[in-house]
Amino acid sequence: MGFTQAANKSAGQRPIVTIRLATVDDAAAILEIYNYEVESSTSTFDIVPRTLNGQRAWLAERSGAFAAVVATIPNREGVPAVVGFASLSPYKERAAYRTTVENSVYVLREHNGLGIGRTLMVHLIEVARESGFHSIIARIEAGSEASRALHQACGFVLVGIETEVGRKFNRWLSTAVMQLML
């Protein structure tokens, strides 16, 4: 199951973005995207890079509404290249929370601003609705204006700030909690 959508590009060109289920063959590309964020940004509070085997295991554990998806665009040779990934995860373990999910969206930095994150987000929202979930929670490093703006553009509202709940790069980090009611 996948879908294709043209993403906005400031130069007027619109790369064709295809969203499809991630496979184990995508592990290396997902690992590259994720580990860059682990090592150089606060978009994830992970501080230890994943291994290729760890990434493969993560993909193998994902299925149904919680499956990972990838965004691809044709590279210079016209071959689809993974430029982003996204997933839904259970929000909390207790049974009462089962109708709420948490989202994750990551895009290669060199492809930011092309609408790929929004295309992934729209897909996740559709999957969550079709799967019967009631709400989606996004936990975003509070200073990440781009991520907060993306979520707001997709209908999420800020429901709170968790102050200094994480520590990375020798500084305290707060989390903005945003929610979309489906």
Side-chain angles (χ1 to χ4, degrees):
M1 169 172 102
F3 73 92
T4 302
Q5 180 173 330
N8 294 325
K9 188 172 181 181
S10 58
Q13 297 174 329
R14 299 172 65 103
I16 301 299
V17 178
T18 300
I19 307 296
R20 63 167 174 75
L21 286 174
T23 69
V24 71
D25 293 335
D26 298 315
I30 291 171
L31 183 72
E32 177 185 350
I33 295 166
Y34 191 73
N35 280 350
Y36 177 84
E37 300 301 328
V38 169
E39 295 171 342
S40 63
S41 84
T42 56
S43 64
T44 175
F45 281 23
D46 275 348
I47 57 175
V48 177
R50 289 182 182 165
T51 64
L52 184 56
N53 283 339
Q55 191 64 65
R56 287 179 178 139
W58 181 83
L59 282 167
E61 294 168 356
R62 312 225 32 103
S63 64
F66 302 121
V69 295
V70 293
T72 66
I73 62 172
N75 64 17
R76 289 190 173 123
E77 293 78 38
V79 177
V82 173
V83 295
F85 73 97
S87 64
L88 295 172
S89 300
Y91 173 61
K92 301 252 185 196
E93 289 183 27
R94 292 187 177 111
Y97 293 112
R98 285 192 183 141
T99 58
T100 298
V101 290
E102 187 172 340
N103 73 328
S104 296
V105 176
Y106 294 92
V107 177
L108 269 174
R109 290 287 170 136
E110 65 195 68
H111 295 287
N112 281 354
L114 300 179
I116 295 166
R118 186 177 182 119
T119 301
L120 283 163
M121 185 76 74
V122 167
H123 180 79
L124 287 182
I125 292 167
E126 180 181 317
V127 168
R129 277 194 178 112
E130 289 175 357
S131 299
F133 292 111
H134 184 64
S135 74
I136 303 174
I137 299 291
R139 303 174 58 78
I140 303 163
E141 194 278 315
S144 178
E145 293 178 22
S147 186
R148 288 175 67 172
L150 168 63
H151 283 79
Q152 185 175 7
C154 292
F156 285 73
V157 296
L158 181 67
V159 295
I161 300 287
E162 298 171 327
T163 305
E164 296 183 357
V165 293
R167 188 156 175 86
K168 188 173 181 179
F169 304 134
N170 293 317
R171 62 187 176 111
W172 289 106
L173 300 171
S174 298
T175 302
V177 180
M178 299 184 77
Q179 183 175 22
L180 175 67
M181 300 305 297
L182 299 171

